[in-house]
Structure formats: C-alpha cells, structure tokens
C-alpha cells in the first residue's frame, strides 16, 4: 500500500492506494475518529460488487451502515437526486457526525460529496472510488458538484474528504470503456506535470491495459501525487489549479452537446489533443509532441477525432464553461509535454480549426 498526503492544514487527509483495501476500511475509519453509524451511497452495480460486502465487513468491526442507492448515469448528478438523498438521510436520523461514504465512480463521488457538503451544513465525507477516473481525479481535491440545465458541475462547493481509499482491486471489474476513460486523466497528469511519467506511460501501456496491479498502483499513486501537490498550492482554484482542466474546456462542451453519450475521458482526450494543436499553431508546442500525444491517446483506445456534433453548439457550450472570465474562455495549453500554461487569448475560431483538423 502507498499513501499520498494532501497537506491542507485542518482540511488535510490521506489517500490510501493499494490492493484489497476495502477489507481495511473499518481500520481507516477508526484511525480518523469517525462515528460508527454511517451511510454508504452507491449505485446498483457497485452495491452488488462491493457495497454489500463492505457493509458486512464494517458490521463485523462494530459499524452500523445503511446503503442508499442511486441509479447509474450522469443524469443522476442533479439537485432533484440530491433532494431525495437529503430526505433519505433525514429518515435515517443522520447527524452532523454521521460519515457518508461515496462508493463508486465520478458521478457517485461528485453527487455524494455535494450532499455531504450541504446536509446539515456539512457531514464527514469519505471517498472510496472504484473507477480509475475517480481514483486519479474526481475523488481528490474537494470539488463536489451537481449538473444543472445540461451544464456540467454548474452548482457545487469545495469540500475536502476526511479520507480517500483507492482499492486497485476494484479496477478489475470495470468495463473496458470505463477503464479507458480513466486513462485520459492519467495522460493529463503526465502532460501537465511530468514528462518522465509520460514516457513511462508510453513504455508500459500494454501492462497498464492488462491490469497489472503493481503497475496500476504506481500510476494511481503518481497521478494522485501530482494532483495533491497542485491542490495544496491552490485549494480553491484561484490560479495554478486551473491547469487540472487541461482538455476540459472542449471536453465538457463535447459531453454536454452529446447529451453525455460521449463519456468524460473520451471528451477530455479530444480536448487535450485540440489544445495541443492550438499550441502548435501558435508556434509553442513542437509537432513531434503533438504526434506523441495523439499516438498514446490512440493506443489506449480513446478517440482522437471529434464525433459528429455541431461546432456551433460546442462553441456555445464553451461560452457557459465555469472557467470563462469576462466572457473569455480559458484554455490550458502545453508548452512541452510536462509543462502547461493558462491563457484566455485563444479565439473561438482557433478552437474550431483545431477540432476539425
């Protein structure tokens, strides 16, 4: 097992990464002084795979756990579903000390985090991500949110978990498409902060795709560490943390316009490549680096080309992006692999050209 410390003063916490960690969840909860009456929020598939076993194991260790179920799908990240969960928590007599465990992928993590941040003005949150995307990205850093009016993560808060438990074993039950989606975020971390990590991914992609647990633990650890360091410097997303949105300005627009039929990692992959092309056209990023990025994205099975969506709708969606300041969308562009910068000097016409290149 490896541990990444997120140092945020009183809001700091540990990320535990390794195989078989769900069986150690009770110990981690005790170490963090959490109450023994808790609630698990998950979806039907994950409940069957891991939720019931987790509940039983916690009971053996003296915890009382109730499971609340949320159907699968991005559309569940809504104020309406949050309201239903508030009612169910009330029915369970959940108190301010009642921990809520988010057991699942990014949708469950974001929704549960939002509920934990707002129920009784905040109850303890524990993230237990079961997808690669959630383990390396959405479970870390305290961004919790729901969608609104077809706009992704429009209503949310910064609310750090008390603990993150990333059990690598859960990645073995992921559908291939879900696992591949997570690889987009792993590639993102390499591009924004570690060129040697990018080379490692190029050299070890076959082992990663074959679900070698040692290699998987390493890439989750490395990605988590990169994100933790950025969050420590900019918890509330006022500057540096913006680089974590590499590929997301275009990516979120693609998700929205496709009615979420294009999944998050797929959309981010297209967005990362579009940003690289823009940077190359501005004579910043070398063409060979664009090729390397395109090659590794293609090798993972992620898309490198925009799906059949109307460019006008994509541009309109970008104008509603959370990162827009004074009417200008902000883009994260790579200077080289391992080094990026934030700019609001990218025109929408440049974005259009990059998307149809």
């Amino acid at each position: 097992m490896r541990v990444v410390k997120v140092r945020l003063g009183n809001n700091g916490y540990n990320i535990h990464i390794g195989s078989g960690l769900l069986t150690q969840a009770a110990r981690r909860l005790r170490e963090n002084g959490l109450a023994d009456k808790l609630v698990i929020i998950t979806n039907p598939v994950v409940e069957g795979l891991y939720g019931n076993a987790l509940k039983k194991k916690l009971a053996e260790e003296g915890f009382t756990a109730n499971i609340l179920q949320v159907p699968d799908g991005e559309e569940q990240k809504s104020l309406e579903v949050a309201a239903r969960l508030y009612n169910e928590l009330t029915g369970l007599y959940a108190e301010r000390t009642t921990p809520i465990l988010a057991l699942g992928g990014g949708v469950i993590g974001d929704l549960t985090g939002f509920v934990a941040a707002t129920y009784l003005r905040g109850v303890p949150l524990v993230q237990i991500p079961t997808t690669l995307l959630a383990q390396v990205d959405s479970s870390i850093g305290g961004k919790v949110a729901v969608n609104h009016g077809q706009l992704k993560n429009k209503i949310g808060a910064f609310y750090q978990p008390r603990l993150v438990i990333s059990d690598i074993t859960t990645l073995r039950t992921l559908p291939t498409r879900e696992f591949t989606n997570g690889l987009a975020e792993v590639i993102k971390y390499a591009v924004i902060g570690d060129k040697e990590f990018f080379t490692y991914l190029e050299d070890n992609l076959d082992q990663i795709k074959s679900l070698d647990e040692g290699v998987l633990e390493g890439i989750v650890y490395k990605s988590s560490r990169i994100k933790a360091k950025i969050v420590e410097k900019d918890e509330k997303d006022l500057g540096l943390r913006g680089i974590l949105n590499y590929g997301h300005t275009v990516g979120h627009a693609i998700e929205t316009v496709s009615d979420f039929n294009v999944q998050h990692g797929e959309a981010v992959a297209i967005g990362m490549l579009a940003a690289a092309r823009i940077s190359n056209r501005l004579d910043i990023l070398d063409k060979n680096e664009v090729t390397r990025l395109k090659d590794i994205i293609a090798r993972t099975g992620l898309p490198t080309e925009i799906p059949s969506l109307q460019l006008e709708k994509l541009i309109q969606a970008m104008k509603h992006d959370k990162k827009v300041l004074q009417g200008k969308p902000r883009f994260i562009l790579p200077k080289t692999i391992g080094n990026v910068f934030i700019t609001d000097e990218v025109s929408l016409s440049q974005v259009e050209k990059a998307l149809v290149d």
Side-chain angles (χ1 to χ4, degrees):
M1 184 187 75
R2 305 193 199 192
V3 178
V4 173
K5 294 183 181 294
V6 185
R7 295 178 171 86
L8 293 170
N10 292 334
N11 291 330
Y13 52 94
N14 289 340
I15 305 166
H16 298 266
I17 303 162
S19 299
L21 296 190
L22 282 179
T23 61
Q24 303 174 23
R27 183 197 312 174
R28 304 302 168 207
L29 297 173
R30 295 271 187 227
E31 289 172 352
N32 282 269
L34 295 172
D36 56 11
K37 176 185 175 182
L38 53 86
V39 175
I40 300 168
I41 298 179
T42 189
N43 68 32
V45 173
V46 178
E47 180 177 1
L49 289 169
Y50 304 110
N52 294 322
L54 176 61
K55 179 180 178 179
K56 181 180 179 181
K57 185 65 177 177
L58 288 170
E60 292 172 0
E61 300 292 333
F63 286 86
T64 301
N66 287 285
I67 296 179
L68 299 182
Q69 193 183 96
V70 175
D72 199 17
E74 182 73 25
E75 67 276 7
Q76 300 302 320
K77 274 176 56 175
S78 69
L79 289 172
E80 291 75 19
V81 175
R84 174 174 68 78
L85 291 171
Y86 297 144
N87 289 334
E88 292 180 355
L89 288 168
T90 301
L92 293 172
Y93 297 94
E95 303 170 353
R96 276 191 167 175
T97 58
T98 302
I100 299 182
L101 280 55
L103 178 67
V107 169
I108 288 294
D110 286 355
L111 172 65
T112 302
F114 179 80
V115 169
T118 50
Y119 183 75
L120 298 179
R121 297 192 179 94
V123 298
L125 170 67
V126 176
Q127 292 278 8
I128 308 181
T130 60
T131 67
L132 180 59
L133 193 152
Q135 288 185 3
V136 301
D137 191 64
S138 57
S139 66
I140 306 165
K143 279 189 175 181
V144 297
V146 293
N147 304 332
H148 186 65
Q150 285 298 100
L151 296 174
K152 191 174 173 72
N153 299 332
K154 195 68 174 180
I155 301 173
F158 290 96
Y159 194 71
Q160 301 296 342
R162 295 281 294 274
L163 168 69
V164 179
I165 301 172
S166 292
D167 189 337
I168 300 301
T169 310
T170 64
L171 302 182
R172 289 199 163 274
T173 56
L174 277 183
T176 300
R177 186 181 182 190
E178 292 286 342
F179 180 78
T180 303
N181 262 273
L183 288 177
E185 293 287 354
V186 174
I187 293 168
K188 178 195 78 176
Y189 286 114
V191 176
I192 68 172
D194 194 328
K195 62 182 180 181
E196 292 180 1
F197 185 35
F198 190 91
T199 301
Y200 176 86
L201 295 176
E202 290 177 312
D203 293 342
N204 293 274
L205 190 56
D206 289 342
Q207 288 173 279
I208 293 168
K209 292 172 71 173
S210 69
L211 304 181
D212 180 295
E213 288 194 0
V215 174
L216 289 178
E217 182 177 319
I219 67 169
V220 172
Y221 172 78
K222 187 68 175 178
S223 300
S224 301
R225 196 160 170 264
I226 291 170
K227 182 163 187 179
K229 295 300 180 186
I230 293 169
V231 171
E232 286 170 358
K233 294 176 181 176
D234 182 18
E235 181 182 1
K236 297 297 176 68
D237 202 4
L238 299 175
L240 176 66
R241 185 167 176 168
I243 68 174
L244 292 171
N245 287 308
Y246 172 56
H248 286 60
T249 301
V250 170
H252 281 168
I254 291 173
E255 285 184 89
T256 298
V257 175
S258 73
D259 198 22
F260 300 104
N261 288 312
V262 179
Q263 294 187 354
H264 181 71
E266 296 165 345
V268 167
I270 297 166
M272 287 193 294
L273 197 50
R277 288 170 175 153
I278 291 169
S279 185
N280 174 253
R281 284 179 169 160
L282 294 173
D283 293 324
I284 298 170
L285 182 67
D286 187 271
K287 182 67 175 178
N288 290 332
E289 303 258 271
V290 180
T291 300
R292 287 180 70 191
L293 178 60
K294 183 176 181 178
D295 286 349
I296 195 170
I297 288 173
R299 285 176 61 204
T300 63
L302 289 161
T304 59
E305 304 296 335
I306 189 171
S308 299
L309 300 172
Q310 292 184 25
L311 281 175
E312 295 83 0
K313 289 185 177 181
L314 288 174
I315 298 301
Q316 191 64 30
M318 285 180 221
K319 292 178 180 178
H320 289 286
D321 192 273
K322 300 185 303 300
K323 297 174 287 300
V324 170
L325 284 178
Q326 298 180 338
K328 292 183 175 182
R330 285 188 295 168
F331 278 81
I332 294 82
L333 302 182
K335 295 180 181 178
T336 63
I337 288 174
N339 185 14
V340 297
F341 69 103
I342 303 172
T343 179
D344 61 2
E345 296 301 320
V346 175
S347 70
L348 294 178
S349 64
Q350 288 172 310
V351 178
E352 288 187 40
K353 290 176 183 176
L355 288 172
V356 298
D357 193 353

